[in-house]
Amino acid sequence: MFKKVLIAEDFESFNISVQKAVEELKIETVDNVHYCDDAWMKVKKGIREKSDYDLLITDLSFDVDHREQNLKNGRELIDAIKIDSPAIKVIVFSIENRPEIIENLFTVHHINGFVSKGREDIKELKRAIKAVYGNEKYISSNVKDSIKNKNSYDFTKFDKILVKLLSEGMLQKNIPDYLKENNIKPSSLSSVEKALNNLKESLGVINNEQLIALCKDWGII
């Protein structure tokens, strides 16, 4: 079982519940913080002292208060920690339930498990910890079916054409010429940019490379 676990959760009630669940699994060291910056600093300290964390359990959303934070949410925390400690396992414990966002956490942010806050979430969290320790991917049972639905985002035929062209190496600025040559409408550069920006915003990715990776994982292209 994991030996050293870090919990990042800003609501004290959830923090205490998660800590209790982890301790019941007989994990030796369990630290908890309420801010992403504090979590990042603890990970860096562990690295310096050659006492790395094995697992991070984090929420996605952290309320803004009087403390100025460099890392403002769970995604930023995960990405920052992965740079310093790429081997650390990550379980997200969140109220988020949108399939495209959860899938994005696995494909883009490379998490190992996702547990949705709700009914019997602590039992789910314990199962997730055991599964992730065994190098398995874990998704809460209450969101697993929706994650399996590859059509959770309604891709249009135009969306699929754009992503396919990008995946084949075509530059975004050259796509309008292809569309015009093949009588595909709309074919303006502004239409292409708008469609791709809508896709990236809806799916929670920041660039075309991540969009392509997500669509390949979903079997869209």
Side-chain angles (χ1 to χ4, degrees), residues 14 23 88 130 137 150 193:
F14 281 117
E23 289 173 346
I88 194 171
K130 292 176 182 177
K137 183 171 78 170
K150 300 305 183 183
E193 291 174 343

Side-chain angles (χ1 to χ4, degrees), residues 53-90:
Y53 286 95
D54 305 303
L55 173 67
L56 167 70
I57 301 174
T58 182
D59 197 352
L60 289 178
S61 299
F62 288 77
D63 283 354
V64 176
D65 63 11
H66 62 282
R67 274 188 59 176
E68 183 67 27
Q69 297 292 302
N70 292 314
L71 302 175
K72 303 184 187 303
N73 58 58
R75 291 182 184 83
E76 293 182 5
L77 172 62
I78 293 166
D79 291 345
I81 285 179
K82 286 285 188 179
I83 292 173
D84 292 318
S85 182
I88 194 171
K89 301 289 182 68
V90 178

